[in-house]
C-alpha cells in the first residue's frame, strides 16, 4: 500500500508541474519568436545598420549637410533659375549647429507592383529605397539625409532634402505596420496586413478620398497612374518622372551627391562649386 501511495503521489506531482512546464516552454518560444521580429523593425531592419551609421557620422556627410544649410530655404523662382553660392574653405562656417538622428528605413512602392507584374503582397508591393535620417538645427530648420544602398552591404550619401517629412513618416513603422511612400505625389501610406491607409493629404487624394483600400485595389490605382511612366518610357526620358529610378537623387554628370531641396529645388554639389537649380515638377495625369 505504501508503494502504491508513493507512486500515486509522484504521478500527481508530475502532472501538477506539467502546466508550469508547458507555460515556461511557451514563454521561451514566444521570446525566441519575438526577438528577431522586434529587431527587424525600426533602424535595425536596415541591412548593415552600422555602415549606415558610419556614413552618417562621416566628414563627407557632415560637410554636405553644412553646404545644404548654407543655402537659403528654397522658395519660389522661375524654372531653370540657378543661384550660385560662394564657395567656402570651411563648409560649416556660419552654419547653425545641427544634429543628425539615427537612420530609419524608407520604403517606396515597387516598380513591378506598379506595372502589375507582381502580386499584391507586402513583399512585392514595396521595396527599401533609402535609409533616411532627420536633421534638426539650433535655428529650427529641419532637413533629411538620404543614404542609398551600395551593393548589398554598404550605404552612400545620396541626398539632403529640405524638411524632415521622409524621416518623420518612415519612423511611424512598427511591428504591425509598414510605412511606404508614393514619391510621385509625395504620398505616405501605412500598410497593415493587406489594408492601405493614407498618412497625409497627398495620400488621401491618391486613394480618391477613401479612408482605406485593399492592397489589390491600391495596385489598380497606381497601375493606372504610372504603368506608362516606368523608366525608359517617353514620360521618363523627357524628364517628367519623379520616381522609380533607383538613382534618381544622383547627378547624371558627376559622382557628387545631388542634394534635393523642397518645392522642386535641387542643390548640386560638384567640387567647390555649389548651385541651386529649380527642377521641373512631375505632372501626373
Amino acid at each position: 500500500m505504501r508503494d502504491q501511495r508513493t507512486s500515486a503521489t509522484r504521478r500527481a506531482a508530475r502532472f501538477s508541474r506539467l502546466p508550469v512546464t508547458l507555460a515556461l516552454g511557451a514563454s521561451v518560444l514566444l521570446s525566441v519568436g519575438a526577438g528577431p521580429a522586434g529587431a527587424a523593425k525600426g533602424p535595425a531592419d536596415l541591412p548593415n545598420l552600422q555602415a549606415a551609421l558610419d556614413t552618417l557620422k562621416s566628414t563627407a556627410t557632415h560637410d554636405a549637410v553644412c553646404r545644404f544649410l548654407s543655402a537659403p530655404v528654397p522658395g519660389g523662382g522661375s524654372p531653370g533659375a540657378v543661384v550660385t553660392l560662394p564657395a567656402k574653405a570651411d563648409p560649416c562656417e556660419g552654419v547653425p549647429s545641427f544634429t543628425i538622428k539615427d537612420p530609419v528605413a524608407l520604403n517606396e512602392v515597387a516598380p513591378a507592383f506598379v506595372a502589375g507584374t507582381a502580386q499584391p503582397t507586402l513583399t512585392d508591393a514595396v521595396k527599401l529605397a533609402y535609409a533616411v535620417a532627420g536633421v534638426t538645427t539650433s535655428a529650427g530648420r529641419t532637413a533629411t539625409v538620404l543614404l542609398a544602398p551600395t551593393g548589398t552591404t554598404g550605404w552612400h550619401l545620396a541626398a539632403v532634402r529640405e524638411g524632415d517629412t521622409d524621416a518623420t513618416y518612415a519612423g511611424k513603422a512598427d511591428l504591425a505596420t509598414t510605412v511606404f511612400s508614393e514619391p510621385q505625389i509625395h504620398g505616405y501610406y501605412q500598410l497593415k496586413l493587406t489594408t492601405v491607409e493614407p498618412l497625409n493629404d497627398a495620400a488621401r487624394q491618391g486613394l480618391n478620398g477613401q479612408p482605406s483600400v485593399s492592397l489589390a485595389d491600391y495596385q489598380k490605382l497606381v497601375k493606372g497612374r504610372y504603368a506608362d511612366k516606368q523608366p525608359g518610357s517617353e514620360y521618363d526620358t523627357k524628364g517628367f518622372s519623379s520616381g522609380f529610378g533607383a538613382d534618381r537623387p544622383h547627378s547624371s554628370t558627376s559622382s557628387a551627391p545631388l542634394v534635393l531641396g523642397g518645392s522642386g529645388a535641387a542643390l548640386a554639389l560638384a567640387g567647390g562649386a555649389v548651385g541651386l537649380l529649380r527642377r521641373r515638377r512631375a505632372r501626373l495625369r
Side-chain angles (χ1 to χ4, degrees):
M1 291 293 294
R2 183 184 302 175
D3 292 341
Q4 290 177 348
R5 286 197 299 269
T6 301
S7 178
T9 301
R10 289 175 178 172
R11 284 198 302 270
R14 284 199 301 270
F15 281 118
S16 68
R17 289 195 300 268
L18 183 57
V20 177
T21 303
L22 291 176
L24 289 174
S27 176
V28 171
L29 289 173
L30 287 173
S31 299
V32 172
K41 295 296 180 180
D45 64 350
L46 293 173
N48 201 341
L49 174 61
Q50 188 58 52
L53 290 170
D54 290 344
T55 302
L56 285 175
K57 295 174 182 178
S58 69
T59 300
T61 297
H62 187 269
D63 288 352
V65 173
C66 285
R67 289 191 177 96
F68 179 81
L69 295 175
S70 294
V73 177
S78 59
V82 176
V83 179
T84 301
L85 303 177
K88 297 184 295 184
D90 178 6
C92 298
E93 178 186 354
V95 175
S97 60
F98 60 87
T99 300
I100 303 177
K101 299 178 182 178
D102 287 345
V104 293
L106 177 62
N107 297 299
E108 291 183 358
V109 59
F113 175 80
V114 171
T117 58
Q119 294 298 311
T121 63
L122 171 60
T123 55
D124 292 326
V126 303
K127 66 180 181 68
L128 175 63
Y130 302 105
V132 293
V135 177
T136 57
T137 73
S138 58
R141 187 175 177 181
T142 60
T144 299
V145 177
L146 289 85
L147 305 181
T150 300
T152 58
T153 59
W155 297 90
H156 62 269
L157 177 62
V160 180
R161 286 180 179 164
E162 188 68 29
D164 59 358
T165 302
D166 287 322
T168 298
Y169 281 114
K172 293 181 179 294
D174 58 32
L175 287 173
T177 305
T178 297
V179 173
F180 68 94
S181 73
E182 185 182 328
Q184 294 76 13
I185 63 172
H186 306 293
Y188 297 84
Y189 305 84
Q190 59 184 8
L191 175 59
K192 296 180 179 179
L193 295 179
T194 59
T195 300
V196 178
E197 299 174 354
L199 290 175
N200 65 348
D201 288 340
R204 278 183 279 275
Q205 293 175 10
L207 298 186
N208 297 325
Q210 300 177 83
S212 65
V213 300
S214 69
L215 187 56
D217 285 342
Y218 176 71
Q219 184 176 32
K220 294 175 183 176
L221 290 172
V222 292
K223 182 178 180 181
R225 284 198 282 269
Y226 312 121
D228 61 344
K229 300 175 178 65
Q230 296 285 334
S233 66
E234 182 180 6
Y235 185 86
D236 175 52
T237 56
K238 286 187 175 181
F240 289 104
S241 180
S242 64
F244 295 139
D247 296 323
R248 91 177 158 273
H250 295 276
S251 168
S252 59
T253 58
S254 170
S255 59
L258 179 66
V259 183
L260 306 179
S263 304
L267 182 64
L269 307 180
V274 181
L276 186 63
L277 172 65
R278 301 292 173 189
R279 300 175 67 196
R280 289 181 297 179
R281 300 185 68 179
R283 294 187 179 185
L284 302 177
R285 295 183 175 88

